[in-house]
């Protein structure tokens, strides 16, 4: 018997079923709880079918993890009044991003600081081709940033806007970028190691203050 021939719509439905099953596991067990066999079983397919659509478990986790950016995107899409200028927008976007990331620190760490089976930019492009509605209502600057791959590339888009607005000097943005991403990484590591996350807002506020100091000192 030959392999079933699915329509493009059916293939997309199968992919979304696998991604939903993966996210359900991530929500409860985190990155370490995901396996090909477990996802396939929860999705109602066998492992061989899953491998038709995903290279390996890393590919699967990466694509499912991108879905955790949806809340962040939605918040930015409805926050124009809170971002009256480029500097405020930069700091606000980081604050919102950090708030969402610290809810699932291992997932965001895996997404932005772990090795991937495919370039992250390609995974992001693939993900949003499956879920284009998650990019609705975003202005061009945020859209451009979200479609980048690595976190340093995303942040550089925002920092370049600050340079164009004469908030920071262009020659300083690489240093600011490197230090900001490093501080965000340390924030995630702090949350992955901590048992008590009740001080989330204070920790994020402290990191944002330090990021602001970088901007003032390096501009």
């Amino acid at each position: 018997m030959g392999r079933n021939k699915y329509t493009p719509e059916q293939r997309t439905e199968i992919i979304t079923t696998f991604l939903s099953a993966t996210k359900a596991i991530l929500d409860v067990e985190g990155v370490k709880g995901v396996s090909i066999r477990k996802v396939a079983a929860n999705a109602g397919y066998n492992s061989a079918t899953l491998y038709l659509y995903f290279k390996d478990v890393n590919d699967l986790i990466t694509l499912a993890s991108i879905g955790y950016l949806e809340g962040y995107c939605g918040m930015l899409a409805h926050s124009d009044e809170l971002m009256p200028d480029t500097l405020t927008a930069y700091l606000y976007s980081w604050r919102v991003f950090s708030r969402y990331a610290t809810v699932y620190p291992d997932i965001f760490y895996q997404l932005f600081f772990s090795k991937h089976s495919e370039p992250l930019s390609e995974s992001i492009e693939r993900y949003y081709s499956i879920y284009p509605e998650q990019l609705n209502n975003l202005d061009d600057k945020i859209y451009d940033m979200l479609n980048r791959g690595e976190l340093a590339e995303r942040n550089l888009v925002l920092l370049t806007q600050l340079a164009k607005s004469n908030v920071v000097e262009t020659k300083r943005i690489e240093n600011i970028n490197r230090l900001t991403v490093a501080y965000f990484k340390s924030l995630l590591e702090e949350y992955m190691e901590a048992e008590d996350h009740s001080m989330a807002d204070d920790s994020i506020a402290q990191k944002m203050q330090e990021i602001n100091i970088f901007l003032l000192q390096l501009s």
Side-chain angles (χ1 to χ4, degrees):
M1 295 179 63
R3 181 185 299 173
N4 290 333
K5 294 183 177 179
Y6 296 110
T7 66
E9 291 77 14
Q10 289 172 323
R11 287 195 292 272
T12 297
E13 183 177 351
I14 292 171
I15 292 171
T16 58
T17 299
F18 281 129
L19 292 178
S20 295
T22 305
K23 188 176 184 299
I25 297 171
L26 288 170
D27 284 344
V28 177
E29 302 180 48
V31 172
K32 294 181 179 179
V34 179
S35 69
I36 291 292
R37 180 173 296 182
K38 188 184 297 185
V39 171
N42 288 359
Y45 292 93
N46 58 43
S47 298
T49 301
L50 189 150
Y51 277 115
L52 295 175
Y53 300 95
F54 302 94
K55 185 175 181 179
D56 52 29
V57 69
N58 184 289
D59 184 29
L60 182 63
I61 292 172
T62 297
L63 278 168
S65 296
I66 296 169
Y68 286 84
L69 297 174
E70 182 178 6
Y72 166 66
C73 293
M75 182 68 76
L76 291 185
H78 297 91
S79 300
D80 287 346
E81 71 283 358
L82 300 176
M83 300 185 289
D85 54 71
T86 54
L87 178 57
T88 303
Y90 178 78
L91 295 173
Y92 178 78
S93 65
W94 264 110
R95 187 164 60 251
V96 173
F97 184 61
S98 298
R99 194 67 190 86
Y100 277 95
T102 51
V103 177
Y104 300 101
D106 61 326
I107 294 172
F108 276 75
Y109 192 94
Q110 193 280 337
L111 183 58
F112 290 111
F113 297 107
S114 298
K115 293 183 179 180
H116 300 289
S117 302
E118 302 291 341
L120 184 55
S121 58
E122 293 182 10
S123 296
I124 289 171
E125 182 179 0
R126 182 186 179 193
Y127 180 87
Y128 286 125
S129 72
I130 300 168
Y131 301 103
E133 69 281 358
Q134 292 187 14
L135 293 175
N136 288 346
N137 302 317
L138 297 179
D139 66 33
D140 292 341
K141 295 186 293 295
I142 299 299
Y143 181 89
D144 183 31
M145 182 266 291
L146 289 175
N147 276 279
R148 302 300 178 103
E150 302 301 329
L151 189 59
E153 295 178 10
R154 290 166 170 252
N155 194 47
L156 193 58
V157 172
L158 300 179
L159 286 171
T160 300
Q161 295 167 17
L162 291 181
K164 290 180 178 178
S165 300
N166 296 316
V167 176
V168 297
E169 293 182 75
T170 300
K171 66 181 181 180
R172 303 297 187 186
I173 62 177
E174 290 290 347
N175 285 337
I176 297 172
N177 191 30
R178 184 179 65 256
L179 292 170
T180 303
V181 173
Y183 259 67
F184 178 71
K185 183 179 180 182
S186 73
L187 178 67
L188 293 185
E189 291 171 340
E190 175 185 324
Y191 272 78
M192 286 190 291
E193 294 174 0
E195 295 182 0
D196 181 9
H197 293 168
S198 61
M199 300 301 289
D201 290 338
D202 289 342
S203 183
I204 292 169
Q206 178 183 346
K207 297 297 183 186
M208 292 309 304
Q209 182 179 8
E210 291 163 347
I211 289 172
N212 201 0
I213 290 172
F214 292 153
L215 290 171
L216 295 175
Q217 288 183 343
L218 297 176
S219 59

